[in-house]
Amino acid sequence: LTGTTVLPALLYMGDYFSAFLARNHFMGNIGHRLGIGPNPKKRVVSFYEKHDPEKLTDVDSILAKYYGDYPKLVKRLERKYGDYGYFINWEQDEAPMHLAVEKLWETHELMSRQFDLYAPAVVKTGARNVRHNLGFLYKKGRKLWVKQIWPVLEPHLGVPDEKAARRQKLKDKKEAEQKKKAATGQRRKSAEFRDDEDE
């Protein structure tokens, strides 16, 4: 009797508790706040800055609500505001290499600003001349490489295009067959042996 009374109550409490957690996006909040997995926060922030700045304060709660189902959020935002394609490749925003390159460029821009603000005029002129000379040397070196050096090295080091690769493959196959016939003592059917009959 006790079991038949307690069990439905436990099931009801479990369902109520699960619905409460789902309604308040409890797991989503934890996952989002711990930063588990990539999330489109940068894109969502810039998207709302563009379309609806009043929603910027709700970004965290929105991301927590759609945690684990960000494609659904992306579709809804694009449909609601009619801005399709804004979230393409958003996963790459949080990729380690992308973040490293982004931080590197941020550091470069910061150092450039500080240099422009505080460096003496003579040093700025010298740096500008060095940049110009390096750029000039790079362009000349690239032109020399493409026009004169690489054409010489390409047959030995380069990867041939599809047609050249096919021709080379057929040539290698023919040479391998000739070597095999020579090793087994078979005569070749060619102009050297006129007594061979054509098939």
Side-chain angles (χ1 to χ4, degrees):
L1 185 63
T2 305
T4 55
T5 306
V6 173
L7 188 58
L10 289 175
L11 291 173
Y12 174 77
M13 287 176 62
D15 289 341
Y16 179 81
F17 186 65
S18 299
F20 175 79
L21 293 179
R23 191 167 53 252
N24 291 279
H25 315 295
F26 183 74
M27 298 305 294
N29 272 302
I30 292 176
H32 173 64
R33 293 187 187 283
L34 292 178
I36 300 172
N39 68 72
K41 184 172 182 177
K42 287 184 180 179
R43 297 281 183 105
V44 172
V45 169
S46 61
F47 188 85
Y48 278 134
E49 284 175 349
K50 180 181 178 183
H51 293 288
D52 194 356
E54 293 180 0
K55 290 273 189 178
L56 287 171
T57 54
D58 301 328
V59 168
D60 285 328
S61 61
I62 291 169
L63 290 172
K65 179 180 178 181
Y66 289 95
Y67 177 76
D69 196 12
Y70 293 131
K72 186 177 180 181
L73 170 64
V74 169
K75 286 180 182 177
R76 288 193 171 182
L77 288 176
E78 289 180 339
R79 193 183 307 120
K80 181 177 180 180
Y81 295 97
D83 191 351
Y84 295 94
Y86 194 87
F87 291 88
I88 291 175
N89 294 329
W90 65 263
E91 297 91 347
Q92 297 301 318
D93 293 349
E94 302 295 325
M97 193 64 191
H98 182 84
L99 290 175
V101 172
E102 191 176 284
K103 291 296 180 185
L104 189 64
W105 276 110
E106 285 178 6
T107 305
H108 174 265
E109 289 175 2
L110 177 63
M111 291 179 68
S112 298
R113 284 197 299 270
Q114 295 298 318
F115 181 82
D116 291 339
L117 282 173
Y118 300 110
V122 179
V123 177
K124 289 181 185 178
T125 304
R128 190 161 49 248
N129 291 338
V130 168
R131 266 200 309 269
H132 173 75
N133 292 333
L134 288 175
F136 177 78
L137 289 174
Y138 171 76
K139 289 178 183 177
K140 286 290 184 183
R142 181 173 175 78
K143 187 176 180 181
L144 180 68
W145 172 265
V146 171
K147 297 285 185 182
Q148 298 181 19
I149 299 174
W150 182 244
V152 176
L153 297 177
E154 187 175 13
H156 307 288
L157 303 176
V159 179
D161 58 21
E162 189 175 348
K163 290 182 179 178
R166 189 166 181 272
R167 285 197 302 269
Q168 185 64 40
K169 191 174 180 180
L170 292 172
K171 184 180 175 184
D172 292 344
K173 183 181 178 182
K174 189 175 180 181
E175 289 177 358
E177 287 175 354
Q178 289 175 354
K179 287 180 182 178
K180 185 178 179 182
K181 286 180 180 180
T184 56
Q186 295 179 1
R187 284 193 331 175
R188 294 183 306 162
K189 286 188 178 182
S190 65
E192 298 172 17
F193 305 101
R194 295 295 180 184
D195 57 331
D196 288 332
E197 295 180 1
D198 293 334
E199 293 181 359

